Amino acid sequence: MAQRDRVMRMSVEQPLWRALAGYRVLTMIYAIGLFAAAHDGFARPWLAIAYFAVLGVWTLATLPKVASAAACTKPFLAADLAVALTGILITPLADAAQRVHDGGPTLPSIWTAGSVLAFAVKGGWRWAALASTLVAVANLVERGTPARDTVHNVVLVWVASIAIGYVVEVARASERTLARALEIEAATRERERLARDIHDSVLQVLAMVQRRGAVIGGEAAELGRMAGEQEVALRTLVSGGLVPVSRASEDAAQGAVVRSVEEDEPDDDGPVDLRSLLAPHAGSRVSLAEPGAP
């Protein structure tokens, strides 16, 4: 039984989704730990507790949403970013004013970067730039003044998310190119297999009909001429090229005579595809053997 090649496609970005899921869980635990270590200094700790309860449930419940690009939908990304922005904006209400002024962490802390990275992995650097810009505006509003550490963190998230988004786009383009190359390779192997089968059966029959028709003469010669034309067309089709226009003489008395074709000389001395130069000379009596052809 003949074996057929099967092209298997593997997403190069799938490890990024697994890493993002782990990052979201770890940073959620980290943000809760920061609050637990400094909860005595919060002006309204109950507000922070309520937010972290929502954040914990949301993070764990949406883990399937960050499992793949198909599952990560636009509504989820919008809601996820809204959770992060809400946590940033309510930080001055929950935390003490002095801690906010001194540059204390926001409620979601570095969990916010996970939301921005989801935009980057899903939509590339343009989506990442949009999400990181919204986070930057929220951080500036929360702080009140563009302090140096705030600007530093904003620029860091902005540059990192755009860089990751760009890498994802390049990886996707490379994946498509590789998949296309594998498909072409599989198709070439299948064509070569078919070419061998056809060479052992149909082409030999057509060649025999052509020769016998030329020997018998009369109407058999016309049949032989037609068989020769079909042999040439079939060889060209199997080899992967276009079927050339018939160059056999319309005069049945001459049999399958190939007409001469004038070819223009190339304008430069660069590389020339010999197949295009030799193909006009192929016919019912002349066979053209090329790479991958029978």
Side-chain angles (χ1 to χ4, degrees), residues 182-212:
L182 293 176
E183 291 174 356
I184 293 175
E185 181 183 2
T188 301
R189 291 181 180 178
E190 179 66 11
R191 186 168 60 242
E192 291 176 352
R193 185 187 67 82
L194 293 175
R196 289 191 296 268
D197 294 341
I198 293 175
H199 180 271
D200 294 337
S201 56
V202 179
L203 292 179
Q204 291 184 2
V205 172
L206 291 175
M208 183 183 66
V209 172
Q210 175 196 354
R211 291 193 299 268
R212 293 294 297 169

Side-chain angles (χ1 to χ4, degrees), residues 14 22 55 62 70 77 96 136 160 171 173 211 262 278:
Q14 194 60 37
L55 182 66
T62 57
L77 289 175
R211 291 193 299 268
E262 297 293 334
L278 297 177

Side-chain angles (χ1 to χ4, degrees), residues 37-293:
H39 69 281
D40 293 338
F42 276 70
R44 299 179 181 85
W46 60 268
L47 181 59
I49 293 174
Y51 174 77
F52 283 120
V54 173
L55 182 66
V57 173
W58 173 260
T59 302
L60 297 178
T62 57
L63 284 179
K65 289 291 186 179
V66 291
S68 64
C72 186
T73 60
K74 291 181 180 179
F76 161 73
L77 289 175
D80 195 60
L81 185 61
V83 171
L85 296 179
T86 301
I88 295 174
L89 295 176
I90 68 173
T91 298
L93 301 177
D95 205 351
Q98 186 61 38
R99 280 172 48 85
V100 174
H101 183 269
D102 293 340
T106 60
L107 290 181
S109 185
I110 58 176
W111 184 91
T112 305
S115 180
V116 176
L117 292 178
F119 274 82
V121 179
K122 171 66 176 182
W125 70 270
R126 294 176 180 83
W127 289 26
L130 174 62
S132 57
T133 300
L134 294 177
V135 171
V137 172
N139 275 280
L140 293 176
V141 171
E142 180 265 341
R143 187 67 181 271
T145 57
R148 185 174 62 180
D149 56 346
T150 302
V151 174
H152 172 76
N153 294 333
V154 165
V155 172
L156 181 62
V157 173
W158 196 72
V159 172
S161 61
I162 291 179
I164 293 176
Y166 178 75
V167 170
V168 169
E169 290 186 356
V170 173
R172 285 173 178 165
S174 301
E175 180 186 7
R176 289 192 295 267
T177 302
L178 176 60
R180 179 56 181 163
L182 293 176
E183 291 174 356
I184 293 175
E185 181 183 2
T188 301
R189 291 181 180 178
E190 179 66 11
R191 186 168 60 242
E192 291 176 352
R193 185 187 67 82
L194 293 175
R196 289 191 296 268
D197 294 341
I198 293 175
H199 180 271
D200 294 337
S201 56
V202 179
L203 292 179
Q204 291 184 2
V205 172
L206 291 175
M208 183 183 66
V209 172
Q210 175 196 354
R211 291 193 299 268
R212 293 294 297 169
V215 172
I216 297 175
E219 295 182 356
E222 174 65 16
L223 180 61
R225 183 184 67 82
M226 296 174 60
E229 293 179 1
Q230 294 302 315
E231 180 189 4
V232 173
L234 191 55
R235 285 183 183 274
T236 305
L237 177 62
V238 171
S239 63
L242 297 176
V243 178
V245 179
S246 175
R247 293 177 296 276
S249 173
E250 288 81 8
D251 188 358
Q254 299 182 21
V257 179
V258 178
R259 297 196 302 267
S260 61
V261 179
E262 297 293 334
E263 293 287 339
D264 296 332
E265 294 294 331
D267 297 333
D268 51 27
D269 297 331
V272 178
D273 189 352
L274 292 179
R275 293 178 299 177
S276 61
L277 299 178
L278 297 177
H281 302 285
S284 58
R285 297 182 180 180
V286 179
S287 299
L288 173 62
E290 56 181 307

